[in-house]
Amino acid sequence: MQTAAFLERAWQQLTQGARDSRHPFRYGVLATLDEDGVDARTLVLRSANPGRHELCFHSDLRSAKLSQLRRDPRVCFVAHSLEWQVRAYGRISIQREGIAVEAAWDSTSADSKALYGSREAPGAALSAQTDAEPAGEGSEDLAQGRRHFVLLRLCVDRLDVLQLDRPGHRRARYELIDQAWQGEWCAP
């Protein structure tokens, strides 16, 4: 197998994860940097575009990761299954407005929209669990949710791809140079 074919298979895993809620790549871990070092959390992969070298996620504007990303947009997104691990490195841009953001909001379920409209920011201390109840489904609550909703676009410039397979595992690293992927095999 050539490194280009291996890269294509990795992007297929990411694309399937974005499309299929049951695919293991649907939920991955996004690592950012904060004042104390590395911070990481699970995010839902919403879209993967190999041609644009891009992964997209949704987030709440009030979450701590947004201030981290404003300070330093460099991230690593890790998605894995029993046989595959893909680490995607790059920089995230935060989008609050525009056609893509409106399309993302429109495709978001009513339950998720209600979560964005909650009174408390993600990670805020609560006096009781019930203080975290999502907003209602009224137009005012949904409008509040939309104000908190952002689209995160990860421009991928490096990938590390591992496939666990018998009789031997495969691993390759890729770097985007002049809009073309340059890959090399490496020890698993």
Side-chain angles (χ1 to χ4, degrees), residues 14-179:
L14 289 163
T15 302
Q16 287 175 338
R19 290 182 182 153
D20 180 358
S21 63
R22 294 180 310 256
H23 193 281
F25 276 36
R26 179 66 167 189
Y27 302 94
V29 174
L30 182 75
T32 56
L33 297 170
D34 69 9
E35 308 84 36
D36 298 322
V38 177
D39 195 6
R41 81 284 295 145
T42 301
L43 280 185
V44 177
L45 178 60
R46 300 296 182 171
S47 71
N49 187 326
R52 293 184 60 176
H53 325 294
E54 181 179 86
L55 303 175
C56 292
F57 315 92
H58 300 169
S59 186
D60 190 311
L61 183 64
R62 303 167 295 169
S63 72
K65 72 179 156 291
L66 272 286
S67 60
Q68 294 167 0
L69 291 168
R70 284 187 197 99
R71 275 194 303 278
D72 190 339
R74 295 175 299 163
V75 300
C76 177
F77 177 71
V78 181
H80 68 90
S81 65
L82 293 176
E83 297 175 354
W84 287 92
Q85 174 186 276
V86 175
R87 290 185 289 168
Y89 299 87
R91 294 176 183 273
I92 281 196
S93 64
I94 303 165
Q95 293 186 305
R96 292 184 69 183
E97 302 295 332
I99 295 170
V101 179
E102 293 305 323
W105 177 253
D106 290 344
S107 70
T108 299
S109 71
D111 289 343
S112 292
K113 286 179 179 178
L115 293 173
Y116 287 107
S118 69
R119 287 188 317 259
E120 302 300 329
L126 302 173
S127 58
Q129 190 279 324
T130 55
D131 291 345
E133 295 299 316
E137 293 184 19
S139 59
E140 200 171 297
D141 293 326
L142 288 179
Q144 184 67 16
R146 173 57 190 92
R147 285 191 287 277
H148 298 152
F149 180 84
V150 294
L151 179 64
L152 302 178
R153 289 181 183 265
L154 170 53
C155 246
V156 180
D157 57 25
R158 287 185 302 133
L159 286 165
D160 189 305
V161 181
L162 172 66
Q163 181 186 23
L164 301 176
D165 192 22
R166 292 184 189 227
H169 308 317
R170 295 184 195 111
R171 182 177 174 198
R173 284 187 292 246
Y174 301 89
E175 187 171 356
L176 190 62
I177 301 173
D178 296 326
Q179 294 302 305

